[in-house]
Amino acid sequence: MTEPKTPSNPAITRPGPNRRFSVAPMMDWTDAHYRYFARLISRHALLYTEMVTTGAVLHGDRSRLLGYSAGEQPLALQLGGSNVQELAECAQLAEQAGFAEVNLNVGCPSDRVQNNLIGACLMGHPALVADGVKAMLDSCSLPVTVKHRIGINGRDSYGELCDFVGQVQEAGCDTFIVHARIAILEGLSPKENRDIPPLRYEVVHQLKADFPQLEIILNGGLTDLDAMQQHLQILDGVMVGREAYHNPYLMVEVDRRFYADETPVLSRIQVLEALRPYIVAHIEQGGVMHHITRHILGLFQGLPGARYFRRQLSTEIHRTDQPLELYDRLVTDMTARMQSQDCSLQQA
Ligand SMILES: Cc1cc2nc3c(=O)[nH]c(=O)nc-3n(C[C@H](O)[C@H](O)[C@H](O)COP(=O)(O)O)c2cc1C
């Protein structure tokens, strides 16, 4: 396999973390527990927090919202908001908290956030996004990136997309993460908005051709590492959401393929073993094991025993008052299953 060429972006002013492969921000999914787990599988993938609104950061439980463990780095904070002053303050807090990047959400189609001028509806207000980005850049030295759609209903022409990117670029943003489908702001749920409008990768490729100096990251529907490497012939990075959650061991190839790092990786069983002390510490602090293990249900995706593993951690776990015992038994069971599978492969 030839190493894909790295598009050069001499114009990038604040390069920040390497964005060749990132895991998308996902509410309720990419919390600190998921990120700890994902980091056991890939040392290099850039991870994002769930979206946090500027209001929550400024008036809520800040230490929880901005808290993470050092091992999760490189880690970017995603903000939702459009109040310029609040965005500036939050960007400053992101820098103080040690994040590698601060990202603005211009892709979420939820009604709840639209009412507060947060998310995809901001694609209809490029000047406001530009002002917010400029304020963020002025208040911190972190790279500021924008995650957006290729359009929204009523504003979905390529010209309007270029107008959006052009105005935000003028404000100083040089990294754009593009979810390659429009968002429909009325009539579709956020979930439907991740599947129904068709993916249009060619639009993102065209954007890179028209703005070659920008770092353009592709998002939406990516599940296959070979296909991602093909996109990287043209684009600067790929961002993977649902596949990285439902099939997390996909990321075991990321360091070698995208970062040319040949460091030995952990097997699935070693990942489970490495996660155990983290679970123990969480339980000792009064936490519930399920809050961590709910994120690992897909670890054996595609292998014999995957359903058994999933069932133990999604159903049986609620029937026991000794969750760690269940975990240890499961590690033993899955080890035996993996070994017998290796044997049958060798005999075949
Ligand atoms: C459960 C869930 C929560 C999401 N939450 C966010 C979010 O907080 N911020 C955001 O920008 N996108 C969010 N998204 C969208 C993803 O970041 C991504 O753009 C989308 O899932 C398409 O990528 P994929 O096809 O690789 O999953 C969410 C997606 C899912 C499935």
Side-chain angles (χ1 to χ4, degrees):
M1 178 96 37
T2 51
E3 179 56 18
K5 81 176 187 230
T6 308
S8 57
N9 295 76
I12 300 289
T13 45
R14 298 183 190 178
N18 187 321
R19 302 186 180 86
R20 283 178 76 71
F21 182 100
S22 53
V23 179
M26 290 180 281
M27 293 287 285
D28 196 40
W29 288 10
T30 53
D31 63 11
H33 300 319
Y34 170 80
R35 298 188 311 252
Y36 187 92
F37 165 65
R39 187 57 77 219
L40 295 174
I41 304 174
S42 166
R43 290 146 41 99
H44 294 283
L46 171 60
L47 303 179
Y48 282 76
T49 66
E50 307 163 87
M51 179 185 81
V52 262
T53 64
T54 52
V57 172
L58 295 175
H59 310 296
D61 181 352
R62 189 175 301 169
S63 61
R64 185 180 63 80
L65 293 168
L66 300 187
Y68 62 90
S69 51
E72 294 171 37
Q73 291 280 12
L75 178 64
L77 174 70
Q78 187 186 58
L79 290 175
S82 57
N83 179 299
V84 171
Q85 181 57 34
E86 288 185 4
L87 285 170
E89 284 177 43
C90 289
Q92 208 168 47
L93 291 170
E95 179 161 33
Q96 285 163 12
F99 287 96
E101 166 189 324
V102 57
N103 172 268
L104 180 62
N105 182 335
V106 187
C108 178
S110 157
D111 293 350
R112 271 196 0 238
V113 298
Q114 271 180 62
N115 299 336
N116 296 317
L117 263 185
I118 296 174
C121 60
L122 288 172
M123 290 210 72
H125 304 273
L128 182 59
V129 175
D131 286 349
V133 162
K134 179 160 186 334
M136 290 161 82
L137 283 164
D138 287 347
S139 71
C140 74
S141 61
L142 292 178
V144 174
T145 65
V146 171
K147 178 168 180 281
H148 61 99
R149 300 284 188 128
I150 56 173
I152 48 176
N153 52 315
R155 200 177 192 282
D156 59 0
S157 71
Y158 183 65
E160 284 160 322
L161 174 62
C162 290
D163 175 50
F164 174 83
V165 170
Q167 288 197 45
V168 178
Q169 170 199 230
E170 295 245 308
C173 178
D174 39 29
T175 300
F176 292 79
I177 302 159
V178 193
H179 183 173
R181 52 165 60 94
I182 65 162
I184 312 251
L185 296 182
E186 300 92 25
L188 286 191
S189 69
K191 188 167 188 297
E192 290 168 326
N193 256 306
R194 288 178 212 126
D195 286 316
I196 290 178
L199 284 163
R200 297 187 58 205
Y201 293 142
E202 74 284 1
V203 172
V204 185
H205 288 193
Q206 187 60 46
L207 199 63
K208 177 67 188 177
D210 291 332
F211 294 87
Q213 72 284 11
L214 296 181
E215 186 178 37
I216 303 285
I217 313 294
L218 178 67
N219 169 242
L222 298 171
T223 57
D224 178 79
L225 294 170
D226 290 335
M228 293 177 213
Q229 283 192 300
Q230 289 297 321
H231 285 297
L232 286 174
Q233 300 290 331
I234 296 168
L235 301 168
D236 302 285
V238 288
M239 172 182 270
V240 181
R242 287 163 288 185
E243 188 69 8
Y245 191 82
H246 294 309
N247 181 20
Y249 205 65
L250 163 103
M251 290 184 282
V252 81
E253 291 255 354
V254 161
D255 293 355
R256 185 180 62 78
R257 284 200 190 214
F258 300 103
Y259 295 89
D261 182 348
E262 300 283 345
T263 307
V265 293
L266 299 186
S267 69
R268 290 175 174 86
I269 300 296
Q270 286 169 330
V271 169
L272 291 176
E273 287 165 352
L275 193 62
R276 192 181 190 282
Y278 180 82
I279 296 174
V280 170
H282 180 66
I283 293 174
E284 278 169 5
Q285 285 160 23
V288 176
M289 182 173 102
H290 178 62
H291 291 168
I292 300 172
T293 51
R294 74 186 181 100
H295 296 301
I296 73 171
L297 304 183
L299 182 61
F300 291 86
Q301 168 101 338
L303 294 181
R307 278 182 60 193
Y308 168 75
F309 181 77
R310 175 181 293 274
R311 191 159 15 92
Q312 291 295 312
L313 288 181
S314 54
T315 310
E316 297 305 318
I317 195 169
H318 299 298
R319 300 192 175 131
T320 175
D321 54 2
Q322 298 294 330
L324 257 184
E325 273 179 25
L326 180 142
Y327 188 85
D328 290 338
R329 208 169 44 244
L330 195 50
V331 175
T332 308
D333 287 354
M334 294 311 291
T335 304
R337 282 175 190 247
M338 291 295 106
Q339 280 165 353
S340 72
Q341 199 199 340
D342 281 353
C343 286
S344 62
L345 281 178
Q346 277 163 21
Q347 282 161 12

